Structures are given as C-alpha cells and as structure tokens.
Amino acid sequence: MTDLISRTPGALADAERWTAHNYHPLPVVVAGAEGAWVTDVDGKRYLDFLAGYSALNFGHRHPALIAAAHAQLDRLTLTSRAFVHDQFASFCQGLAELCGKDLVLPMNTGAEAVETGIKVARKWGYQVKGVPQDQAEIVVAANNFHGRTTTIISFSTDPEARNDFGPYTPGFTIIPYGDPAALESAIGPNTVAVLLEPIQGEAGVLVPPPGYFTTVRELCTASNVLLIADEIQSGLGRTGKTFAIDHEHVTPDMYLLGKALGGGIVPVSAVAADRAVLGVLRPGEHGSTFGGNPLACAVGAEVVKLLQTGGFQQRSAELGAHLHARLGALIGHGVLEVRGRGLWAGVDIDPALMTGRQAVERLADRGILAKDTHGSTIRLAPPLVITADEIDHAVSQLEAVLR
Ligand SMILES: *Cc1c(COP(=O)(O)O)cnc(C)c1O
C-alpha cells in the first residue's frame, strides 16, 4: 500500500523551502530514468519530451555513455589543465574532426562556451582584423538565448533575463533574426563577429527563412567578420543533421557546443574553430579548472563516437518527419502553428483554449513531460532514442489535452 500517500507534495515543498526560486518547475519529482522514460518518486512513468533542453539527446543513461563514465570514474577524474591527461587529445581530436575544424577549446557549461567565443572573437578582432582597442562589436539577434552570465544577458532582449542585472556589457548590436538586410546595415568596420542560433530554441523554435544563413555567411566573408553558430541546443543530432546550420550548407567560423556534448551525465561544452581563429589565445589568457577534465573528455569522446556513424542524425530526421506530420494534423484543432526541424518542434497552442503552461501541466498529468515558452508555445524535443509509437502516444495525449 505504498502508493496511498504520495511523496510528491512533500518533496515539492522541501525544494520550494530550501532553494532560490529562479525556476518554476512542473510539479513532478523525478527519481529515475532510462532512455526516453522517467519515473517519479511515486513510481509514475512519463515520456520525456524535453530531454533536458537537448542535453539528453541520446536518452537517459545511454549504456555506452554510462559505461565510459564508469570506466573513467575508476581511473582518473580530475587533473586541472596544469597537466595533460590521457583522455584529452582523443576527445578534442574527435570533436574537431566532427566539426571539420582544426582546434577545440573545452569548457563546461554552454554559457562558458559563449563567453569563450566572445573573448576569442574580440581578441581575433584586435590582433588579426586590426580593430582599434576596445572598439570590437558583435552583432546578435533579437530574442536570442545564449546563457545567463552578465555579459550574455547584456545582449538579451528578454526583460526577465535582463532587468535589474545591469550595468550591462557594451559592444553588442541587436538586429532582427532572419533579416539579412538588417545584418548588412549593422556590420561596420569594427564588427568582429555575428553570433546566431541556427534555430532559435528558447524564442519558440524559430526557423529562419530559407537562404538566410547563406546570405549571413556571404556578408561575414565579404566584411571579414566571424560567423559564430551557437549550436548548444540545436546541434549534435537534434535537427536531423549533426549541426542545424548543415541544413543551410553553411560552415561557421566557430561552433559553440554544449548540452548533449556531456551525454546527459556531466556538463561539457566546447568551442571549435580553425587555428587562424582559436590560435589567438596564448597560455594564461583563458581557461577553466574543470574544462576538459578526464571524466568530461571520456564521456564527450563517447558522444562523438555516437555521432560519427550518423545513425542518430538519421533517426532524428526520419522520426522528426513523423513527429511534424502528426503535429501538423493538429493545426486548426487547438494548434495555430508548428515550427522546427528533426525531433524538435515549437507548437503554438491557441491562446483562446489555454496557456502553454496549462498545456504542459495537463500533458504531465497524462504522462508527457514538455516545457512551455513565451505564453502559448510548447516545446517538444524528445531524446533521439524515442520510437515512432512513443511519438504517436505523446501526440495523442496532446490531442486529448486540446480537445
Ligand atoms: C542552453 C543554451 C545556452 C547556455 O547553456 P548553459 O549550459 O545553460 O549555460 C546557450 N545557448 C543556447 C542556444 C542554449 O540553448
């Protein structure tokens, strides 16, 4: 009779009592997970349609990733970058080759990868492009999400992310997303980089108009400006290709990676770029105590291996087409619009029916975990190990919620 008394309310109250309220979680207390499924403290099972904002692209506790982590835990976990360790080069080589770049700089969180990209672009601007000291400008898009540091929120357009956290870091120009003419007029002689998400996730899974990145690439090349692709959420198989920008047949100068790179086990992020760019950093100029640690590299190397075969990318493309076909059928039945690529969808719920928050609460009651964003949009991003039947089940639950 263990299920007479739910453990959920007590666990939620404890979390509320002892933590800063910088999140508004769904009332689900997770205790275990495997693949695409999570189990709460009461033994209720849910299909995970958020996948840790793409940090769990390979599902919860992927056997190869867990095995790599276990093996590394038994050998060596941390050295700091004061020494080299035996997992370092192979992870960085594998990732560099996956990206088609010369070099990799490993960090931990996504925000650190973005900060690294900003610092490298500025230094490149002063040392290579010849921009006058402290005049470097970086162009970013409205409704961006690149993380939570003081510099990154300085160029956020989301009042929640930004308000009361000033003074703000200067040196950023904000333009509308998907508008090449706006980019052309924003680029000036001191512009060192354009920093963009190939698909804007947090903004509601906004896919830019066809050809946008081709023009962005041309403008950057013509003006000697670095194109930095923040693939932290969109990359590593999520959209049906290794990187979302691959859909545009465009190669950025810098890839920013994170989330799924840590296999859902440890925070691992990285910047990948050619020597002409990343080579501007000299010893002592940038770093992180935990960046590129042995455990992170062992897991990250296994993540790279999972992506080398292309199997996950193909799965995401095929099952993504299925997901989008099923979701498309809901348009006019409580859904206004569906956007996205691969196993990634932003679904605009008719606000006359309910808010996005209400929709994800009702989905959770029905055993589907998803997350709302910006009022009436819900984001679906299941682990790439999800099956077609599980997708069908989740979409039927959404259909029932909207009925
Ligand atoms: C999550 C995310 C980040 C920040 O990553 P953290 O690990 O949370 O610091 C940056 N850019 C994009 C596009 C993201 O989705």
Side-chain angles (χ1 to χ4, degrees):
M1 304 301 281
T2 49
D3 51 2
L4 272 182
I5 299 170
S6 167
R7 292 174 58 200
T8 296
L12 289 173
D14 288 347
E16 178 92 353
R17 162 66 184 82
W18 292 107
T19 65
H21 295 170
N22 56 329
Y23 279 90
H24 180 35
L26 287 169
V28 175
V29 182
V30 177
E34 187 171 1
W37 291 87
V38 304
T39 308
D40 76 5
V41 286
D42 295 321
K44 181 175 173 180
R45 283 175 26 104
Y46 303 81
L47 257 180
D48 185 353
F49 260 69
L50 180 65
Y53 301 92
S54 291
L56 288 155
N57 277 5
F58 311 101
H60 294 268
R61 298 168 48 242
H62 187 288
L65 300 173
I66 293 293
H70 276 160
Q72 193 58 42
L73 279 171
D74 287 339
R75 278 206 310 267
L76 174 73
T77 54
L78 193 67
T79 54
S80 87
R81 292 286 306 276
F83 317 109
V84 180
H85 61 78
D86 64 358
Q87 302 298 305
F88 189 63
S90 56
F91 164 61
C92 294
Q93 178 183 354
L95 186 58
E97 287 173 358
L98 188 76
C99 297
K101 294 295 184 191
D102 295 340
L103 305 173
V104 159
L105 196 168
M107 297 292 282
N108 309 283
T109 65
E112 288 175 307
V114 175
E115 289 278 352
T116 302
I118 290 168
K119 287 173 73 175
V120 168
R122 285 177 172 177
K123 198 165 194 78
W124 174 88
Y126 301 129
Q127 297 205 336
V128 179
K129 184 167 176 171
V131 170
Q133 262 314 304
D134 294 342
Q135 300 300 307
E137 282 288 327
I138 295 177
V139 179
V140 298
N143 303 314
N144 67 71
F145 184 85
H146 297 288
R148 300 293 195 172
T149 66
T150 47
T151 285
I152 293 170
I153 59 94
S154 291
F155 56 86
S156 172
T157 57
D158 178 354
E160 277 184 38
R162 193 183 142 84
N163 286 2
D164 292 334
F165 297 126
Y168 302 111
T169 306
F172 298 94
T173 307
I174 302 170
I175 57 164
Y177 187 69
D179 177 353
L183 176 60
E184 188 164 15
S185 42
I187 290 177
N190 296 337
T191 305
V192 295
V194 176
L195 167 61
L196 294 169
E197 297 157 87
I199 291 178
Q200 287 192 319
E202 200 73 18
V205 195
L206 303 186
V207 182
Y212 176 59
F213 274 96
T214 309
T215 314
V216 170
R217 175 72 271 179
E218 285 165 7
L219 290 170
C220 286
T221 303
S223 306
N224 196 21
V225 165
L226 301 176
L227 173 54
I228 308 178
D230 181 345
E231 292 267 11
I232 290 166
Q233 193 166 164
S234 59
L236 307 185
R238 171 54 55 193
T239 66
K241 293 192 182 286
T242 304
F243 303 110
I245 203 164
D246 293 347
H247 290 280
E248 317 279 340
H249 308 289
V250 161
T251 305
D253 299 293
M254 241 191 268
Y255 289 100
L256 309 181
L257 303 172
K259 292 203 164 95
L261 192 56
I265 300 175
V266 278
V268 184
S269 68
V271 171
D274 281 338
R275 197 173 301 279
V277 176
L278 260 182
V280 298
L281 289 181
R282 314 303 314 162
E285 292 176 348
H286 188 60
S288 158
T289 304
F290 288 90
N293 69 73
L295 183 59
C297 288
V299 172
E302 204 61 37
V303 165
V304 169
K305 265 192 211 157
L306 292 180
L307 289 164
Q308 273 164 350
T309 65
F312 279 100
Q313 294 89 323
Q314 194 184 339
R315 210 182 154 78
S316 175
E318 286 168 10
L319 291 172
H322 181 66
L323 172 69
H324 281 274
R326 291 293 316 264
L327 290 172
L330 299 183
I331 294 171
H333 303 279
V335 168
L336 298 182
E337 190 181 290
V338 181
R339 294 170 303 274
R341 262 189 178 136
L343 281 172
W344 202 15
V347 179
D348 291 348
I349 306 291
D350 184 349
L353 277 182
M354 67 189 77
T355 64
R357 175 74 188 188
Q358 285 169 325
V360 294
E361 281 173 355
R362 289 173 203 184
L363 277 172
D365 285 343
R366 291 171 165 275
I368 310 295
L369 296 182
K371 185 72 177 74
D372 58 304
T373 183
H374 297 287
S376 56
T377 300
I378 64 172
R379 256 181 303 183
L380 302 177
L384 312 183
V385 296
I386 195 110
T387 66
D389 286 346
E390 288 164 346
I391 290 171
D392 288 341
H393 172 67
V395 177
S396 328
Q397 296 310 307
L398 177 60
E399 211 172 344
V401 161
L402 299 173
R403 201 171 284 139

